[in-house]
Amino acid sequence: MGVVRSSSKHYNGVKINEQFLLLGFMLMCMVQLSLADTNPTDVAAINSLYVALGNPVLPGWVSSGGDPCGESWQGVVCNGSDIQEITLNGANLGGELGDSLGTFASIKIISLSNSHIGGSIPSSLPVTLQNFFLSANQFTGSIPSSLSTLTELTAMSLNGNLLTGEIPDAFQSLTHLINLDLSDNNLSGQLPPSMESLSAVTSIKLQNNNLSGTLDVLQDLPLTELNIENNQFAGPIPQKLLKIPRLRTNGNPFNLNATAAPPPPPHSSLTPPPPPPLPPGTAFSGTPPSRRSNTTQADGPTAANKSNSEKPKNKNKRVVLISIAGVFVFIILAVGLVLLIPKCKRRERADKISKTRQISAYGGERQNPRGPGAMVRPPSQTEKVPKGAVVRPQEDHHAETRAIRAIPKPQDEQEKEVQRMESIPNQLDHEIDMSGLDVYSMPPPPPPPPPFPAERVIVEPTTTNPSRSPVTPIFAKSFTIASLQQYTNSFSQENLIGLGMLGSVYRAELPDGKILAVKKLDKRVSDHQKDGEFLELVNNVDGIRHANIVELIGYCAEHGQRLLIYEYCSKGSLKDALHSDDEFKRKLSWNTRIRIALGAARALEYLHEQCQPPVVHRNFKSANILLDDDLSVRVSECGLAPLITKGSVSQLSGQLLTAYGYGAPEFESGIYTYQSDVYSFGVVMLELLTGRQSYDRTRPRGEHFLVRWAIPQLHDIDALSRMVDPSLNGEYPAKSLSNFADIISRCVQSEPEFRPAMSEVVVYLLNMIRRKAHQSESNRSNKREW
């Protein structure tokens, strides 16, 4: 019994140790899970995506486990423990997307453009998606009909892939969709009827596909941009679509003229002036089709019932007449040629005289594109003849002198006339009637040569002009790709300091220790701009010089890459200061915020009212207001509006301004002006006042858009005090707060004409600072007296 009892204790001891081990293991797992910042569901989803993409080299990413939010995986943005965004544009990704995208808990943005991802677009998609960008990849198959579940979708780009089949009829629920780009695929079929439900869409791009049918489903949409080039659309274009500001319809079989007038009734034709050729395929049995004639008497029943035997006779007569006319034309041409040959020397003499006058007038010889027979007037005469005016000398058979007659025309008519005259054969020159036109005589010439056959002279600028100024030189410093790779450690993730609409920004350290910021433009931006356009942009940006604007240091344009190099601002952006760093936010006192607003206002004032030509920023927001060591303002992306308005970037611009709260109401109609910048400035002032983001979906529904929530409260002093950023701890003068709110109220007016100019805003803010300084000085004086 003793042995058995001892064995039993040993057995029980083993069981107790195993229980302790199991409990310890569970505690370790719980500790590990508690330390992880990312929702386990999102971890599993992103692990599956990573494996489906072929395990690419992405900093932080692993195929199993990991903590995307806590470890800051490349391109992953989180809100708390949930993954909100995956952005990996131009990351050279391959593989496929897999079937796990639909398992993300609350992801809002998936942007994987400009890579080599293939396979089909998965049918299981996250219902929380707002932005879905897969452009410039190798996706095949059709667009999934599960799009209908993405009720929060605001922008989708699937352009530049190999998608086939019809566009699914899945747009009934996409009432928030603003931008849709399906261009450059192999889509076919007609537009689905459900597209008429896209009540918020402003931009649709369908170019370079095989789509067919009509455009009727699009006619009632609030579009400001529609591109359907190079498809198979037919039928008339609805009149409502013709009013779209940016409409492109080239490369389709329909006729634009069909929208202006209804087609003629069936079995009718219009005959040209006599001699009228018979319409092809006209049936002669029964009553022939009615015809409109320029004769004084219409065809009667007798003419309509002529026998078929009379038709060939009339046709033969016309053939004979045409042949005789051709012989006469040939004789006239031959005679004209014979008369022209002996006078070549005289014409050469006239050319020498003309060139001599050109040299004396312009200080150098100017090449004449119209050939040796053309004559160019000196400046004293060309002032009377607009560029492009058609000048037609006419032979006068009753006098020894020859006059040159000119018809001034508007510019568009001039171009049409030039094209028309170039298309007319030279033998018809003698048939132009010049009677009744104003006469401009040449300056006193040497004895004129005898008259020779008339010739057409078109005064127009030459294609190559030696006197023309050369291309403007580039004054900004040129960097090489190799040097920038060295300064940014091959554009490593550690040096990435920002992601913007136009590209990524990297920190670059030069060998002498100087720090610069390198903006690497995305491929979708550079692909829509030629080298000359980019260099012109660099020159324009380099000319923008102001204390409150980020200075351009240089540029790089090599191997298809476009980069802009700027001065570096050590304190980051105002957006980060207000919404990401609570400790830094508390350092932004009320006076500091007023001075930040003043610096930003001065930058816009300079762009709008002092630059020549004036500049519209178009992308003004707190993320583009940078802060230096002393918290002085440097506004970035000035002068880059031409990049925003081109290609697929315009879609992102519209999405930013309308969906993220910075866009003025008129932008929904495709209009953006200086006053639109003023509106965006008012939104930034609201951010400074409240500490809130311009658009915050995490707040209650009525508080998503900052402007809509704040406007009704700006003139209520009690409500205004409750709106103020809590991190200010009430340390602000009530009068100053009220003045600040008044400026905001004026800037965010719904009607552009009621918004102030930026110079007025600068004056308002300066007055606030002066009053505050005067009040502070008065308070100090009172204390000293006391």
Side-chain angles (χ1 to χ4, degrees):
M1 291 294 295
V3 175
V4 173
R5 192 179 299 113
S6 174
S7 176
S8 175
K9 287 181 180 180
H10 177 71
Y11 174 77
N12 291 337
V14 173
K15 290 290 293 181
I16 291 173
N17 289 338
E18 289 180 354
Q19 290 174 357
F20 273 111
L21 288 174
L22 180 61
L23 180 60
F25 179 76
M26 293 175 64
L27 287 174
M28 290 175 61
C29 291
M30 290 176 66
V31 169
Q32 184 176 2
L33 288 175
S34 64
L35 293 176
D37 289 337
T38 310
N39 186 329
T41 303
D42 285 349
V43 173
I46 200 169
N47 289 159
S48 299
L49 174 62
Y50 184 65
V51 172
L53 292 174
N55 299 314
V57 179
L58 296 173
W61 288 57
V62 293
S63 58
S64 178
D67 185 8
C69 296
E71 300 170 358
S72 299
W73 289 16
Q74 179 180 357
V76 177
V77 178
C78 297
N79 182 12
S81 62
D82 294 332
I83 295 177
Q84 298 285 290
E85 176 181 347
I86 297 178
T87 299
L88 295 170
N89 295 320
N92 198 30
L93 303 175
E96 301 180 355
L97 292 183
D99 298 323
S100 62
L101 289 185
T103 60
F104 280 99
S106 59
I107 193 168
K108 291 177 171 55
I109 299 175
I110 294 179
S111 185
L112 305 174
S113 299
N114 301 314
S115 281
H116 310 285
I117 307 173
S120 59
I121 299 175
S123 58
S124 176
L125 297 172
V127 295
T128 56
L129 266 185
Q130 296 178 4
N131 298 340
F132 192 35
F133 301 143
L134 300 177
S135 58
N137 278 285
Q138 299 175 6
F139 289 102
T140 58
S142 59
I143 300 174
S145 58
S146 56
L147 288 179
S148 60
T149 62
L150 309 183
T151 57
E152 299 182 18
L153 192 67
T154 59
M156 181 172 69
S157 296
L158 304 180
N159 53 297
N161 284 285
L162 305 173
L163 300 174
T164 57
E166 298 183 355
I167 300 176
D169 192 14
F171 296 93
Q172 297 91 339
S173 304
L174 306 188
T175 55
H176 299 291
L177 186 64
I178 298 172
N179 298 289
L180 176 64
D181 193 345
L182 304 178
S183 60
D184 299 292
N185 282 289
N186 294 315
L187 301 173
S188 58
Q190 301 184 8
L191 298 181
S194 61
M195 290 189 77
E196 65 182 4
S197 302
L198 298 176
S199 56
V201 70
T202 60
S203 173
I204 294 180
K205 297 180 181 179
L206 303 172
Q207 68 268 25
N208 303 323
N209 280 288
N210 295 309
L211 299 169
S212 58
T214 65
L215 304 174
D216 294 344
V217 298
L218 305 180
Q219 61 182 337
D220 294 321
L221 302 182
L223 290 169
T224 60
E225 180 178 20
L226 176 62
N227 191 335
I228 55 169
E229 291 182 324
N230 303 322
N231 278 285
Q232 301 298 321
F233 290 111
I237 301 178
Q239 290 289 340
K240 293 181 180 179
L241 295 184
L242 294 178
K243 299 178 182 179
I244 296 176
R246 297 188 297 277
L247 174 65
R248 297 183 180 180
T249 60
N250 294 333
N252 286 280
F254 51 65
N255 185 359
L256 291 178
N257 293 330
T259 61
H267 306 297
S268 66
S269 62
L270 301 178
T271 55
L278 291 175
T282 303
F284 293 102
S285 58
T287 304
S290 60
R291 295 176 298 179
R292 181 181 303 169
S293 177
N294 64 346
T295 58
T296 57
Q297 185 177 4
D299 294 337
T302 304
N305 296 322
K306 287 183 178 181
S307 62
N308 293 342
S309 62
E310 293 178 348
K311 300 295 181 179
K313 294 180 181 180
N314 293 335
K315 187 174 181 179
N316 291 336
K317 290 180 181 180
R318 279 193 289 273
V319 171
V320 172
L321 291 175
I322 293 173
S323 301
I324 294 173
V327 172
F328 274 107
V329 171
F330 179 80
I331 293 173
I332 292 172
L333 289 175
V335 173
L337 184 61
V338 171
L339 292 176
L340 185 62
I341 292 174
K343 299 175 183 177
C344 287
K345 294 183 179 180
R346 296 174 182 173
R347 183 173 302 206
E348 292 174 0
R349 178 184 175 188
D351 290 344
K352 291 179 181 179
I353 295 172
S354 174
K355 291 181 179 180
T356 301
R357 290 173 184 160
Q358 293 175 43
I359 293 173
S360 62
Y362 295 102
E365 183 173 348
R366 182 177 181 180
Q367 184 180 358
N368 187 357
R370 305 303 298 171
M375 299 177 65
V376 180
R377 297 176 180 268
S380 61
Q381 298 299 314
T382 55
E383 290 175 0
K384 299 179 181 179
V385 184
K387 290 183 180 180
V390 180
V391 182
R392 304 171 184 166
Q394 182 184 8
E395 183 178 0
D396 190 344
H397 298 286
H398 303 286
E400 293 292 327
T401 59
R402 183 167 68 88
I404 297 181
R405 311 172 188 269
I407 312 173
K409 292 179 176 291
Q411 186 66 26
D412 55 344
E413 293 185 13
Q414 293 168 18
E415 295 174 359
K416 294 179 180 177
E417 184 73 354
V418 170
Q419 296 176 0
R420 187 179 74 82
M421 288 303 171
E422 290 177 346
S423 65
I424 299 178
N426 293 331
Q427 62 265 29
L428 298 182
D429 289 355
H430 305 279
E431 301 176 5
I432 301 175
D433 183 11
M434 300 298 295
S435 60
L437 303 180
D438 296 332
V439 178
Y440 295 97
S441 58
M442 295 289 289
F452 49 86
E455 57 197 358
R456 181 180 303 107
V457 181
I458 301 176
V459 180
E460 63 181 307
T462 58
T463 54
T464 57
N465 185 359
S467 63
R468 189 175 179 180
S469 60
V471 177
T472 304
I474 305 298
F475 296 103
K477 181 180 179 180
S478 176
F479 288 78
T480 64
I481 284 288
S483 64
L484 294 178
Q485 285 181 329
Q486 176 186 351
Y487 302 154
T488 61
N489 191 20
S490 298
F491 299 99
S492 65
Q493 182 69 18
E494 292 78 11
N495 285 325
L496 180 67
I497 57 178
L499 292 171
M501 182 196 311
L502 299 176
S504 306
V505 182
Y506 294 86
R507 181 181 182 273
E509 184 174 358
L510 275 58
D512 60 1
K514 184 177 182 180
I515 306 298
L516 298 176
V518 179
K519 178 182 283 292
K520 185 179 181 182
L521 299 181
D522 278 352
K523 190 174 184 295
R524 67 172 182 272
V525 177
S526 57
D527 282 352
H528 289 85
Q529 194 178 49
K530 299 178 181 177
D531 290 339
E533 294 175 334
F534 176 70
L535 295 180
E536 182 180 359
L537 176 81
V538 170
N539 250 3
N540 293 337
V541 175
D542 188 50
I544 299 176
R545 301 281 177 166
H546 189 269
N548 296 116
I549 293 179
V550 176
E551 180 183 355
L552 180 73
I553 304 298
Y555 73 99
C556 176
E558 286 185 349
H559 310 294
Q561 300 288 334
R562 307 275 175 78
L563 302 99
L564 298 170
I565 296 89
Y566 291 95
E567 64 174 325
Y568 179 74
C569 297
S570 58
K571 295 301 182 182
S573 70
L574 178 61
K575 178 183 178 181
D576 293 335
L578 287 175
H579 311 307
S580 299
D581 192 338
D582 292 338
E583 182 179 353
F584 188 18
K585 182 178 181 179
R586 285 190 288 270
K587 297 179 181 179
L588 298 179
S589 66
W590 178 248
N591 289 342
T592 301
R593 298 184 191 214
I594 296 177
R595 293 187 179 276
I596 289 174
L598 176 61
R602 281 174 166 163
L604 284 182
E605 178 193 23
Y606 169 79
L607 295 176
H608 292 180
E609 304 175 32
Q610 298 175 23
C611 274
Q612 293 298 329
V615 176
V616 179
H617 192 286
R618 195 182 172 89
N619 191 23
F620 191 84
K621 54 182 179 177
S622 59
N624 285 331
I625 299 176
L626 307 182
L627 302 175
D628 214 336
D629 287 332
D630 57 355
L631 298 184
S632 59
V633 167
R634 300 285 192 276
V635 177
S636 66
E637 295 202 0
C638 298
L640 301 187
L643 297 178
I644 298 175
T645 57
K646 288 194 173 186
S648 60
V649 185
S650 61
Q651 143 189 325
L652 295 180
S653 173
Q655 168 207 336
L656 164 74
L657 294 171
T658 56
Y660 288 167
Y662 289 100
E666 65 267 17
F667 188 78
E668 295 181 3
S669 302
I671 301 171
Y672 199 96
T673 65
Y674 306 106
Q675 297 305 312
S676 305
D677 277 350
V678 176
Y679 183 97
S680 299
F681 175 80
V683 179
V684 171
M685 286 188 68
L686 265 179
E687 291 185 78
L688 287 167
L689 173 69
T690 65
R692 295 188 176 207
Q693 300 184 51
S694 60
Y695 176 81
D696 190 349
R697 196 177 182 84
T698 62
R699 293 187 178 274
R701 186 174 186 83
E703 301 180 18
H704 286 180
F705 288 94
L706 180 58
V707 173
R708 297 178 189 174
W709 169 75
I711 284 180
Q713 308 177 68
L714 288 177
H715 299 293
D716 184 338
I717 190 63
D718 293 330
L720 184 61
S721 61
R722 292 192 295 269
M723 290 170 53
V724 179
D725 188 351
S727 63
L728 289 172
N729 295 320
E731 297 177 359
Y732 52 83
K735 183 63 175 177
S736 179
L737 179 66
S738 179
N739 291 335
F740 201 79
D742 288 341
I743 300 173
I744 295 173
S745 179
R746 295 194 61 191
C747 290
V748 296
Q749 291 286 327
S750 58
E751 299 296 332
E753 58 269 21
F754 295 141
R755 300 172 200 151
M758 287 309 304
S759 56
E760 297 179 48
V761 175
V762 169
V763 171
Y764 297 152
L765 291 169
L766 280 173
N767 288 337
M768 285 183 58
I769 294 176
R770 288 167 184 160
R771 283 193 295 266
K772 181 69 169 62
H774 179 72
Q775 183 65 35
S776 299
E777 182 63 27
S778 298
N779 293 337
R780 282 195 295 269
S781 299
N782 293 335
K783 289 181 179 179
R784 285 195 296 268
E785 292 175 0
W786 179 258

